[in-house]
Amino acid sequence: MDSSKRRLLSAGAALCVAPWVPAWARAATANAADAAKWPTRPVRIIVPYPPGGSSDIIARLVAPRLSEALGQTVVVENKPGANGNLGAGLVVQSNDDGHTVLLCDVGALAISPSVYTKLSFDPSKDLRAVSMLAYSPHVLAVHPDVPARTVPELVELSKKQRLNFAVTAIGSAPHLAAVAVQQATGAQWEYVPYKGGSQAVTDTIGGQTQIIMNGLLATLPHIKAGKLRPIAISKGERMSLIPDIPTISEQGVKGFESGTWQGIMGPQAVTDPIAAKLAQHLAKIVNLPEVQKQLNEQGAEVVVRDPAQLATFFNTERDRWAKVVKTTDIRLD
């Protein structure tokens, strides 16, 4: 067979094979190529709460290092409102390929579908899990003038006098954690909702409220300064950083555990390769010794989970807190 015929046969074979490449394989190749180029413009990290809270602290710790790793500007934007749902909705609406992402309390986001009757999006369907970054237990703390020093003492005090309990928002993770403790102990405190953890902390320090349940990361500096007195943490066991603070579980609410799980979510348009690329960079950043040290000193632990693991965690938390919401009348429009 001469060379010209061989070339014709080879070309014909190529034409026959090409159309049979599966669509998913062609899409995967294209997505991988897009991920190699990503990001092509500045990346926005939306923090759906006011400045000063746990999510904001971590976002501003991560952003400059992520900018260096990606070779693009990374900016942090606070978009508070509706217990984090306003900022989450903005990320859903962006519908881009990862240039706009959400850094939030993943547990709080998982609660929203149970609490909000008119939520404009479904986080399980409209947001894409990217990476878990850190965990910080809730800390139950009081104004220094409150005489109670243990959970049982605080419960008894709540039955004798009015105690105002500051919560970051109605239906927030700290609020539902407090409700779970209340249900288990029979406490009778009154909830006062805020639009974020920082203002709730400020008012408890000022004495406008007497009790607070909040992320340890954002609260520990005030405890160290003597402005708040800790009663208990919501971790399963005591923390080496604060070994003198007992857990809620060891004070009568057996097995109780809650906290703020800080993670990155993106719109559904984020492809698998881009999610994996971003998750890998974030894992490296939060595991840097200096980042770990800063987080640990403030009461947070590095907890890295990849996109699939974070998605599983999110759905588990959604089911867990839905059961708590069903036992209350907590519903918001």
Side-chain angles (χ1 to χ4, degrees), residues 216 220 224 238-245 295-300:
L216 184 63
L220 186 58
K224 289 181 175 179
R238 296 196 187 196
M239 298 182 69
S240 58
L241 174 68
I242 44 173
D244 293 335
I245 303 178
L295 290 174
N296 291 341
E297 287 176 348
Q298 297 182 76

Side-chain angles (χ1 to χ4, degrees), residues 48-169:
Y49 318 110
S54 300
S55 297
D56 186 64
I57 291 169
I58 292 178
R60 297 185 187 280
L61 187 60
V62 166
R65 294 170 173 84
L66 184 59
S67 176
E68 183 178 350
L70 296 177
Q72 282 284 355
T73 300
V74 176
V75 295
V76 177
E77 298 182 15
N78 295 89
K79 300 291 184 181
N83 195 21
N85 293 314
L86 176 62
L90 292 175
V91 174
V92 170
Q93 293 166 18
S94 74
N95 198 35
D96 67 15
D97 58 356
H99 288 88
T100 302
V101 296
L102 181 74
L103 198 162
C104 68
D105 180 347
V106 177
L109 183 63
I111 290 169
S112 288
S114 299
V115 173
Y116 286 84
T117 59
K118 297 180 181 178
L119 195 63
S120 64
F121 62 94
D122 184 336
S124 294
K125 297 177 180 178
D126 299 326
L127 287 169
R128 168 64 188 269
V130 175
S131 178
M132 185 79 82
L133 302 177
Y135 164 75
S136 175
H138 291 135
V139 58
L140 179 65
V142 297
H143 185 277
D145 287 346
V146 174
R149 294 180 177 275
T150 67
V151 171
E153 288 178 2
L154 187 61
V155 171
E156 285 305 308
L157 186 64
S158 75
K159 297 175 181 179
K160 298 175 182 177
Q161 67 182 66
R162 180 186 176 93
L163 293 177
N164 290 326
F165 197 123
V167 291
T168 55

Side-chain angles (χ1 to χ4, degrees), residues 105 107-108 135-138 173-174 177 215 234 257-261 317 320-321:
D105 180 347
Y135 164 75
S136 175
H138 291 135
S234 67
E257 188 167 7
S258 66
T260 62
W261 300 85
E317 285 292 283
R320 173 195 179 191
W321 290 110

